[in-house]
mmCIF file of all heavy atoms in Angstrom:
data_model
loop_
_atom_site.group_PDB
_atom_site.id
_atom_site.type_symbol
_atom_site.label_atom_id
_atom_site.label_comp_id
_atom_site.label_asym_id
_atom_site.label_seq_id
_atom_site.Cartn_x
_atom_site.Cartn_y
_atom_site.Cartn_z
ATOM 1 N N ILE A 728 -3.299 5.525 -0.145
ATOM 2 C CA ILE A 728 -1.985 6.073 0.177
ATOM 3 C C ILE A 728 -1.893 6.182 1.692
ATOM 4 O O ILE A 728 -2.595 6.976 2.318
ATOM 5 C CB ILE A 728 -1.758 7.449 -0.484
ATOM 6 C CG1 ILE A 728 -1.722 7.305 -2.006
ATOM 7 C CG2 ILE A 728 -0.457 8.076 0.022
ATOM 8 C CD1 ILE A 728 -1.491 8.599 -2.753
ATOM 9 N N TYR A 729 -1.078 5.343 2.294
ATOM 10 C CA TYR A 729 -0.886 5.367 3.742
ATOM 11 C C TYR A 729 0.028 6.537 4.072
ATOM 12 O O TYR A 729 1.086 6.714 3.484
ATOM 13 C CB TYR A 729 -0.288 4.041 4.204
ATOM 14 C CG TYR A 729 -1.192 2.869 3.934
ATOM 15 C CD1 TYR A 729 -1.080 2.116 2.776
ATOM 16 C CD2 TYR A 729 -2.200 2.545 4.848
ATOM 17 C CE1 TYR A 729 -1.931 1.049 2.531
ATOM 18 C CE2 TYR A 729 -3.054 1.484 4.608
ATOM 19 C CZ TYR A 729 -2.912 0.730 3.444
ATOM 20 O OH TYR A 729 -3.758 -0.315 3.202
ATOM 21 N N GLN A 730 -0.390 7.356 5.002
ATOM 22 C CA GLN A 730 0.275 8.617 5.257
ATOM 23 C C GLN A 730 1.702 8.440 5.776
ATOM 24 O O GLN A 730 1.964 7.660 6.686
ATOM 25 C CB GLN A 730 -0.546 9.453 6.240
ATOM 26 C CG GLN A 730 -1.841 9.975 5.642
ATOM 27 C CD GLN A 730 -1.595 10.781 4.376
ATOM 28 O OE1 GLN A 730 -0.776 11.698 4.352
ATOM 29 N NE2 GLN A 730 -2.301 10.446 3.313
ATOM 30 N N SER A 731 2.607 9.186 5.172
ATOM 31 C CA SER A 731 4.001 9.201 5.584
ATOM 32 C C SER A 731 4.653 10.430 4.986
ATOM 33 O O SER A 731 4.037 11.155 4.196
ATOM 34 C CB SER A 731 4.730 7.942 5.095
ATOM 35 O OG SER A 731 4.928 8.003 3.691
ATOM 36 N N GLN A 732 5.908 10.658 5.345
ATOM 37 C CA GLN A 732 6.628 11.800 4.782
ATOM 38 C C GLN A 732 6.827 11.633 3.275
ATOM 39 O O GLN A 732 7.137 12.590 2.574
ATOM 40 C CB GLN A 732 7.981 11.941 5.472
ATOM 41 C CG GLN A 732 8.909 10.739 5.264
ATOM 42 C CD GLN A 732 10.284 10.962 5.859
ATOM 43 O OE1 GLN A 732 10.907 11.991 5.629
ATOM 44 N NE2 GLN A 732 10.750 9.989 6.636
ATOM 45 N N TYR A 733 6.638 10.391 2.789
ATOM 46 C CA TYR A 733 6.851 10.117 1.367
ATOM 47 C C TYR A 733 5.593 10.323 0.534
ATOM 48 O O TYR A 733 5.652 10.303 -0.692
ATOM 49 C CB TYR A 733 7.329 8.670 1.185
ATOM 50 C CG TYR A 733 8.543 8.325 2.000
ATOM 51 C CD1 TYR A 733 8.425 7.614 3.191
ATOM 52 C CD2 TYR A 733 9.816 8.729 1.602
ATOM 53 C CE1 TYR A 733 9.533 7.300 3.961
ATOM 54 C CE2 TYR A 733 10.934 8.422 2.369
ATOM 55 C CZ TYR A 733 10.784 7.705 3.542
ATOM 56 O OH TYR A 733 11.889 7.404 4.289
ATOM 57 N N ALA A 734 4.450 10.513 1.188
ATOM 58 C CA ALA A 734 3.175 10.589 0.469
ATOM 59 C C ALA A 734 3.150 11.638 -0.648
ATOM 60 O O ALA A 734 2.609 11.368 -1.728
ATOM 61 C CB ALA A 734 2.038 10.828 1.463
ATOM 62 N N PRO A 735 3.712 12.838 -0.438
ATOM 63 C CA PRO A 735 3.656 13.829 -1.525
ATOM 64 C C PRO A 735 4.306 13.361 -2.829
ATOM 65 O O PRO A 735 3.879 13.757 -3.918
ATOM 66 C CB PRO A 735 4.403 15.031 -0.937
ATOM 67 C CG PRO A 735 4.246 14.883 0.538
ATOM 68 C CD PRO A 735 4.302 13.406 0.779
ATOM 69 N N PHE A 736 5.322 12.509 -2.731
ATOM 70 C CA PHE A 736 6.003 12.046 -3.940
ATOM 71 C C PHE A 736 5.160 11.044 -4.734
ATOM 72 O O PHE A 736 5.374 10.849 -5.924
ATOM 73 C CB PHE A 736 7.341 11.392 -3.575
ATOM 74 C CG PHE A 736 8.293 12.307 -2.871
ATOM 75 C CD1 PHE A 736 8.596 12.121 -1.538
ATOM 76 C CD2 PHE A 736 8.882 13.377 -3.541
ATOM 77 C CE1 PHE A 736 9.475 12.969 -0.874
ATOM 78 C CE2 PHE A 736 9.764 14.236 -2.888
ATOM 79 C CZ PHE A 736 10.055 14.032 -1.555
ATOM 80 N N LEU A 737 4.198 10.420 -4.064
ATOM 81 C CA LEU A 737 3.437 9.356 -4.708
ATOM 82 C C LEU A 737 2.461 9.878 -5.749
ATOM 83 O O LEU A 737 1.904 9.114 -6.525
ATOM 84 C CB LEU A 737 2.710 8.519 -3.648
ATOM 85 C CG LEU A 737 3.661 7.802 -2.681
ATOM 86 C CD1 LEU A 737 2.875 7.096 -1.590
ATOM 87 C CD2 LEU A 737 4.544 6.802 -3.420
ATOM 88 N N ARG A 738 2.257 11.198 -5.789
ATOM 89 C CA ARG A 738 1.416 11.761 -6.851
ATOM 90 C C ARG A 738 2.022 11.482 -8.216
ATOM 91 O O ARG A 738 1.307 11.474 -9.233
ATOM 92 C CB ARG A 738 1.237 13.268 -6.648
ATOM 93 C CG ARG A 738 2.509 14.087 -6.891
ATOM 94 C CD ARG A 738 2.312 15.560 -6.603
ATOM 95 N NE ARG A 738 3.464 16.363 -6.993
ATOM 96 C CZ ARG A 738 4.562 16.501 -6.262
ATOM 97 N NH1 ARG A 738 4.659 15.883 -5.101
ATOM 98 N NH2 ARG A 738 5.570 17.250 -6.681
ATOM 99 N N LEU A 739 3.317 11.276 -8.258
ATOM 100 C CA LEU A 739 3.985 10.984 -9.522
ATOM 101 C C LEU A 739 3.553 9.638 -10.091
ATOM 102 O O LEU A 739 3.743 9.365 -11.279
ATOM 103 C CB LEU A 739 5.503 10.998 -9.336
ATOM 104 C CG LEU A 739 6.112 12.335 -8.911
ATOM 105 C CD1 LEU A 739 7.583 12.163 -8.558
ATOM 106 C CD2 LEU A 739 5.962 13.371 -10.020
ATOM 107 N N LEU A 740 2.951 8.801 -9.250
ATOM 108 C CA LEU A 740 2.499 7.490 -9.698
ATOM 109 C C LEU A 740 1.014 7.486 -10.081
ATOM 110 O O LEU A 740 0.475 6.438 -10.427
ATOM 111 C CB LEU A 740 2.721 6.451 -8.592
ATOM 112 C CG LEU A 740 4.173 6.067 -8.315
ATOM 113 C CD1 LEU A 740 4.253 5.258 -7.031
ATOM 114 C CD2 LEU A 740 4.742 5.272 -9.477
ATOM 115 N N SER A 741 0.379 8.641 -10.029
ATOM 116 C CA SER A 741 -1.071 8.687 -10.254
ATOM 117 C C SER A 741 -1.484 8.182 -11.629
ATOM 118 O O SER A 741 -2.596 7.689 -11.809
ATOM 119 C CB SER A 741 -1.585 10.121 -10.053
ATOM 120 O OG SER A 741 -0.951 11.013 -10.975
ATOM 121 N N GLY A 742 -0.595 8.288 -12.608
ATOM 122 C CA GLY A 742 -0.943 7.839 -13.957
ATOM 123 C C GLY A 742 -0.528 6.412 -14.249
ATOM 124 O O GLY A 742 -0.750 5.904 -15.362
ATOM 125 N N VAL A 743 0.052 5.746 -13.262
ATOM 126 C CA VAL A 743 0.521 4.372 -13.471
ATOM 127 C C VAL A 743 -0.631 3.408 -13.223
ATOM 128 O O VAL A 743 -1.248 3.430 -12.153
ATOM 129 C CB VAL A 743 1.693 4.041 -12.522
ATOM 130 C CG1 VAL A 743 2.135 2.592 -12.717
ATOM 131 C CG2 VAL A 743 2.849 4.998 -12.762
ATOM 132 N N PRO A 744 -0.970 2.559 -14.191
ATOM 133 C CA PRO A 744 -2.097 1.638 -14.009
ATOM 134 C C PRO A 744 -1.780 0.562 -12.981
ATOM 135 O O PRO A 744 -0.647 0.102 -12.866
ATOM 136 C CB PRO A 744 -2.279 1.019 -15.407
ATOM 137 C CG PRO A 744 -0.909 1.102 -16.024
ATOM 138 C CD PRO A 744 -0.315 2.389 -15.504
ATOM 139 N N ILE A 745 -2.791 0.199 -12.213
ATOM 140 C CA ILE A 745 -2.653 -0.862 -11.220
ATOM 141 C C ILE A 745 -3.303 -2.115 -11.784
ATOM 142 O O ILE A 745 -4.465 -2.102 -12.176
ATOM 143 C CB ILE A 745 -3.321 -0.469 -9.893
ATOM 144 C CG1 ILE A 745 -2.626 0.763 -9.292
ATOM 145 C CG2 ILE A 745 -3.303 -1.627 -8.903
ATOM 146 C CD1 ILE A 745 -3.345 1.349 -8.106
ATOM 147 N N LEU A 746 -2.550 -3.183 -11.831
ATOM 148 C CA LEU A 746 -3.063 -4.436 -12.358
ATOM 149 C C LEU A 746 -3.328 -5.380 -11.198
ATOM 150 O O LEU A 746 -2.409 -5.764 -10.477
ATOM 151 C CB LEU A 746 -2.046 -5.055 -13.322
ATOM 152 C CG LEU A 746 -2.597 -5.977 -14.406
ATOM 153 C CD1 LEU A 746 -3.486 -5.183 -15.366
ATOM 154 C CD2 LEU A 746 -1.474 -6.638 -15.180
ATOM 155 N N ASP A 747 -4.604 -5.722 -10.987
ATOM 156 C CA ASP A 747 -4.945 -6.579 -9.848
ATOM 157 C C ASP A 747 -5.785 -7.768 -10.287
ATOM 158 O O ASP A 747 -6.759 -8.137 -9.645
ATOM 159 C CB ASP A 747 -5.670 -5.774 -8.767
ATOM 160 C CG ASP A 747 -6.921 -5.079 -9.291
ATOM 161 O OD1 ASP A 747 -7.217 -5.220 -10.488
ATOM 162 O OD2 ASP A 747 -7.612 -4.423 -8.494
ATOM 163 N N THR A 748 -5.381 -8.373 -11.391
ATOM 164 C CA THR A 748 -6.149 -9.484 -11.951
ATOM 165 C C THR A 748 -6.220 -10.681 -11.011
ATOM 166 O O THR A 748 -7.148 -11.489 -11.104
ATOM 167 C CB THR A 748 -5.523 -9.952 -13.277
ATOM 168 O OG1 THR A 748 -4.155 -10.325 -13.045
ATOM 169 C CG2 THR A 748 -5.567 -8.858 -14.318
ATOM 170 N N ASP A 749 -5.271 -10.834 -10.127
ATOM 171 C CA ASP A 749 -5.195 -12.023 -9.281
ATOM 172 C C ASP A 749 -5.598 -11.764 -7.839
ATOM 173 O O ASP A 749 -5.406 -12.636 -6.989
ATOM 174 C CB ASP A 749 -3.766 -12.584 -9.295
ATOM 175 C CG ASP A 749 -3.357 -13.086 -10.666
ATOM 176 O OD1 ASP A 749 -4.249 -13.407 -11.458
ATOM 177 O OD2 ASP A 749 -2.152 -13.155 -10.934
ATOM 178 N N HIS A 750 -6.141 -10.588 -7.555
ATOM 179 C CA HIS A 750 -6.344 -10.221 -6.157
ATOM 180 C C HIS A 750 -7.746 -9.732 -5.838
ATOM 181 O O HIS A 750 -8.518 -9.367 -6.729
ATOM 182 C CB HIS A 750 -5.329 -9.153 -5.759
ATOM 183 C CG HIS A 750 -3.938 -9.683 -5.626
ATOM 184 N ND1 HIS A 750 -3.562 -10.509 -4.598
ATOM 185 C CD2 HIS A 750 -2.837 -9.539 -6.404
ATOM 186 C CE1 HIS A 750 -2.295 -10.852 -4.749
ATOM 187 N NE2 HIS A 750 -1.828 -10.279 -5.839
ATOM 188 N N THR A 751 -8.034 -9.722 -4.548
ATOM 189 C CA THR A 751 -9.264 -9.145 -4.025
ATOM 190 C C THR A 751 -8.976 -7.691 -3.653
ATOM 191 O O THR A 751 -7.809 -7.271 -3.638
ATOM 192 C CB THR A 751 -9.738 -9.898 -2.763
ATOM 193 O OG1 THR A 751 -8.890 -9.523 -1.656
ATOM 194 C CG2 THR A 751 -9.677 -11.417 -2.965
ATOM 195 N N PRO A 752 -9.998 -6.911 -3.300
ATOM 196 C CA PRO A 752 -9.750 -5.522 -2.848
ATOM 197 C C PRO A 752 -9.018 -5.448 -1.513
ATOM 198 O O PRO A 752 -8.661 -4.358 -1.064
ATOM 199 C CB PRO A 752 -11.167 -4.944 -2.715
ATOM 200 C CG PRO A 752 -12.031 -5.821 -3.539
ATOM 201 C CD PRO A 752 -11.429 -7.188 -3.460
ATOM 202 N N TYR A 753 -8.779 -6.603 -0.893
ATOM 203 C CA TYR A 753 -8.171 -6.618 0.435
ATOM 204 C C TYR A 753 -6.664 -6.818 0.403
ATOM 205 O O TYR A 753 -6.033 -6.837 1.467
ATOM 206 C CB TYR A 753 -8.809 -7.716 1.285
ATOM 207 C CG TYR A 753 -10.266 -7.465 1.579
ATOM 208 C CD1 TYR A 753 -11.250 -8.001 0.760
ATOM 209 C CD2 TYR A 753 -10.655 -6.677 2.659
ATOM 210 C CE1 TYR A 753 -12.595 -7.763 1.014
ATOM 211 C CE2 TYR A 753 -11.999 -6.428 2.919
ATOM 212 C CZ TYR A 753 -12.960 -6.975 2.094
ATOM 213 O OH TYR A 753 -14.284 -6.725 2.345
ATOM 214 N N PHE A 754 -6.083 -6.974 -0.777
ATOM 215 C CA PHE A 754 -4.646 -7.228 -0.816
ATOM 216 C C PHE A 754 -3.839 -6.123 -0.151
ATOM 217 O O PHE A 754 -2.967 -6.386 0.691
ATOM 218 C CB PHE A 754 -4.152 -7.410 -2.259
ATOM 219 C CG PHE A 754 -2.658 -7.322 -2.377
ATOM 220 C CD1 PHE A 754 -1.852 -8.301 -1.819
ATOM 221 C CD2 PHE A 754 -2.047 -6.237 -2.994
ATOM 222 C CE1 PHE A 754 -0.456 -8.214 -1.884
ATOM 223 C CE2 PHE A 754 -0.662 -6.140 -3.066
ATOM 224 C CZ PHE A 754 0.128 -7.131 -2.517
ATOM 225 N N GLN A 755 -4.091 -4.880 -0.521
ATOM 226 C CA GLN A 755 -3.297 -3.791 0.048
ATOM 227 C C GLN A 755 -3.513 -3.640 1.560
ATOM 228 O O GLN A 755 -2.528 -3.509 2.304
ATOM 229 C CB GLN A 755 -3.590 -2.474 -0.674
ATOM 230 C CG GLN A 755 -2.575 -1.387 -0.357
ATOM 231 C CD GLN A 755 -2.863 -0.083 -1.077
ATOM 232 O OE1 GLN A 755 -3.974 0.142 -1.546
ATOM 233 N NE2 GLN A 755 -1.867 0.779 -1.161
ATOM 234 N N PRO A 756 -4.764 -3.689 2.063
ATOM 235 C CA PRO A 756 -4.928 -3.673 3.523
ATOM 236 C C PRO A 756 -4.237 -4.843 4.212
ATOM 237 O O PRO A 756 -3.704 -4.679 5.310
ATOM 238 C CB PRO A 756 -6.453 -3.746 3.698
ATOM 239 C CG PRO A 756 -7.002 -3.161 2.446
ATOM 240 C CD PRO A 756 -6.056 -3.578 1.360
ATOM 241 N N LEU A 757 -4.226 -6.011 3.575
ATOM 242 C CA LEU A 757 -3.536 -7.158 4.167
ATOM 243 C C LEU A 757 -2.034 -6.915 4.214
ATOM 244 O O LEU A 757 -1.379 -7.219 5.215
ATOM 245 C CB LEU A 757 -3.841 -8.424 3.370
ATOM 246 C CG LEU A 757 -3.082 -9.678 3.832
ATOM 247 C CD1 LEU A 757 -3.443 -10.034 5.272
ATOM 248 C CD2 LEU A 757 -3.351 -10.847 2.899
ATOM 249 N N ALA A 758 -1.470 -6.379 3.126
ATOM 250 C CA ALA A 758 -0.034 -6.089 3.109
ATOM 251 C C ALA A 758 0.318 -5.127 4.243
ATOM 252 O O ALA A 758 1.314 -5.332 4.953
ATOM 253 C CB ALA A 758 0.365 -5.495 1.752
ATOM 254 N N HIS A 759 -0.504 -4.100 4.441
ATOM 255 C CA HIS A 759 -0.237 -3.147 5.515
ATOM 256 C C HIS A 759 -0.385 -3.811 6.877
ATOM 257 O O HIS A 759 0.444 -3.602 7.786
ATOM 258 C CB HIS A 759 -1.190 -1.951 5.421
ATOM 259 C CG HIS A 759 -0.924 -0.897 6.449
ATOM 260 N ND1 HIS A 759 -1.662 -0.779 7.609
ATOM 261 C CD2 HIS A 759 0.017 0.084 6.512
ATOM 262 C CE1 HIS A 759 -1.200 0.226 8.331
ATOM 263 N NE2 HIS A 759 -0.184 0.764 7.700
ATOM 264 N N TYR A 760 -1.394 -4.624 7.036
ATOM 265 C CA TYR A 760 -1.645 -5.320 8.307
ATOM 266 C C TYR A 760 -0.453 -6.198 8.685
ATOM 267 O O TYR A 760 0.011 -6.175 9.832
ATOM 268 C CB TYR A 760 -2.908 -6.163 8.161
ATOM 269 C CG TYR A 760 -3.310 -6.929 9.397
ATOM 270 C CD1 TYR A 760 -4.049 -6.318 10.411
ATOM 271 C CD2 TYR A 760 -2.968 -8.273 9.555
ATOM 272 C CE1 TYR A 760 -4.432 -7.023 11.548
ATOM 273 C CE2 TYR A 760 -3.337 -8.980 10.679
ATOM 274 C CZ TYR A 760 -4.070 -8.356 11.674
ATOM 275 O OH TYR A 760 -4.444 -9.053 12.796
ATOM 276 N N LEU A 761 0.044 -6.968 7.730
ATOM 277 C CA LEU A 761 1.170 -7.863 8.016
ATOM 278 C C LEU A 761 2.467 -7.086 8.232
ATOM 279 O O LEU A 761 3.263 -7.429 9.114
ATOM 280 C CB LEU A 761 1.342 -8.870 6.876
ATOM 281 C CG LEU A 761 0.242 -9.926 6.746
ATOM 282 C CD1 LEU A 761 0.523 -10.835 5.556
ATOM 283 C CD2 LEU A 761 0.119 -10.758 8.027
ATOM 284 N N LEU A 762 2.699 -6.050 7.431
ATOM 285 C CA LEU A 762 3.891 -5.224 7.629
ATOM 286 C C LEU A 762 3.896 -4.605 9.030
ATOM 287 O O LEU A 762 4.915 -4.615 9.729
ATOM 288 C CB LEU A 762 3.959 -4.124 6.562
ATOM 289 C CG LEU A 762 4.409 -4.543 5.160
ATOM 290 C CD1 LEU A 762 4.047 -3.472 4.143
ATOM 291 C CD2 LEU A 762 5.920 -4.805 5.132
ATOM 292 N N LYS A 763 2.746 -4.098 9.418
ATOM 293 C CA LYS A 763 2.639 -3.457 10.730
ATOM 294 C C LYS A 763 2.853 -4.482 11.849
ATOM 295 O O LYS A 763 3.610 -4.226 12.799
ATOM 296 C CB LYS A 763 1.265 -2.804 10.866
ATOM 297 C CG LYS A 763 1.038 -2.094 12.189
ATOM 298 C CD LYS A 763 -0.370 -1.492 12.247
ATOM 299 C CE LYS A 763 -0.651 -0.891 13.616
ATOM 300 N NZ LYS A 763 -2.042 -0.380 13.710
ATOM 301 N N TRP A 764 2.222 -5.642 11.731
ATOM 302 C CA TRP A 764 2.354 -6.670 12.766
ATOM 303 C C TRP A 764 3.799 -7.150 12.889
ATOM 304 O O TRP A 764 4.342 -7.261 13.985
ATOM 305 C CB TRP A 764 1.432 -7.844 12.449
ATOM 306 C CG TRP A 764 1.682 -9.083 13.261
ATOM 307 C CD1 TRP A 764 2.136 -10.287 12.811
ATOM 308 C CD2 TRP A 764 1.500 -9.237 14.671
ATOM 309 N NE1 TRP A 764 2.249 -11.180 13.833
ATOM 310 C CE2 TRP A 764 1.876 -10.566 15.001
ATOM 311 C CE3 TRP A 764 1.079 -8.388 15.696
ATOM 312 C CZ2 TRP A 764 1.827 -11.068 16.297
ATOM 313 C CZ3 TRP A 764 1.036 -8.882 16.992
ATOM 314 C CH2 TRP A 764 1.396 -10.194 17.291
ATOM 315 N N ILE A 765 4.418 -7.419 11.760
ATOM 316 C CA ILE A 765 5.784 -7.947 11.790
ATOM 317 C C ILE A 765 6.765 -6.869 12.237
ATOM 318 O O ILE A 765 7.765 -7.159 12.897
ATOM 319 C CB ILE A 765 6.128 -8.566 10.418
ATOM 320 C CG1 ILE A 765 5.318 -9.869 10.267
ATOM 321 C CG2 ILE A 765 7.618 -8.833 10.263
ATOM 322 C CD1 ILE A 765 5.359 -10.495 8.914
ATOM 323 N N TRP A 766 6.475 -5.620 11.928
ATOM 324 C CA TRP A 766 7.280 -4.509 12.454
ATOM 325 C C TRP A 766 7.138 -4.445 13.982
ATOM 326 O O TRP A 766 8.138 -4.272 14.700
ATOM 327 C CB TRP A 766 6.817 -3.199 11.822
ATOM 328 C CG TRP A 766 7.521 -1.981 12.326
ATOM 329 C CD1 TRP A 766 8.771 -1.543 11.976
ATOM 330 C CD2 TRP A 766 7.016 -1.025 13.273
ATOM 331 N NE1 TRP A 766 9.072 -0.368 12.644
ATOM 332 C CE2 TRP A 766 8.016 -0.027 13.444
ATOM 333 C CE3 TRP A 766 5.830 -0.904 13.972
ATOM 334 C CZ2 TRP A 766 7.847 1.057 14.298
ATOM 335 C CZ3 TRP A 766 5.658 0.172 14.827
ATOM 336 C CH2 TRP A 766 6.664 1.140 14.985
#
């Protein structure tokens, strides 16, 4: 959970399963890296 003013609301997603059959553990860090760079 990347810190933001929205982080407290994300606890509501704690019971939602994450399906990562097609990915490495680096997908989320990569998404953040690219979002940050392009921003």
Side-chain angles (χ1 to χ4, degrees):
I728 295 181
Y729 298 93
Q730 290 304 309
S731 72
Q732 63 175 311
Y733 306 101
F736 300 110
L737 297 175
R738 70 183 187 279
L739 297 171
L740 289 169
S741 60
V743 178
I745 297 171
L746 206 65
D747 56 0
T748 57
D749 295 337
H750 288 289
T751 75
Y753 295 93
F754 165 68
Q755 194 180 18
L757 175 62
H759 183 260
Y760 181 83
L761 291 179
L762 284 164
K763 180 181 175 184
W764 168 246
I765 289 171
W766 177 78

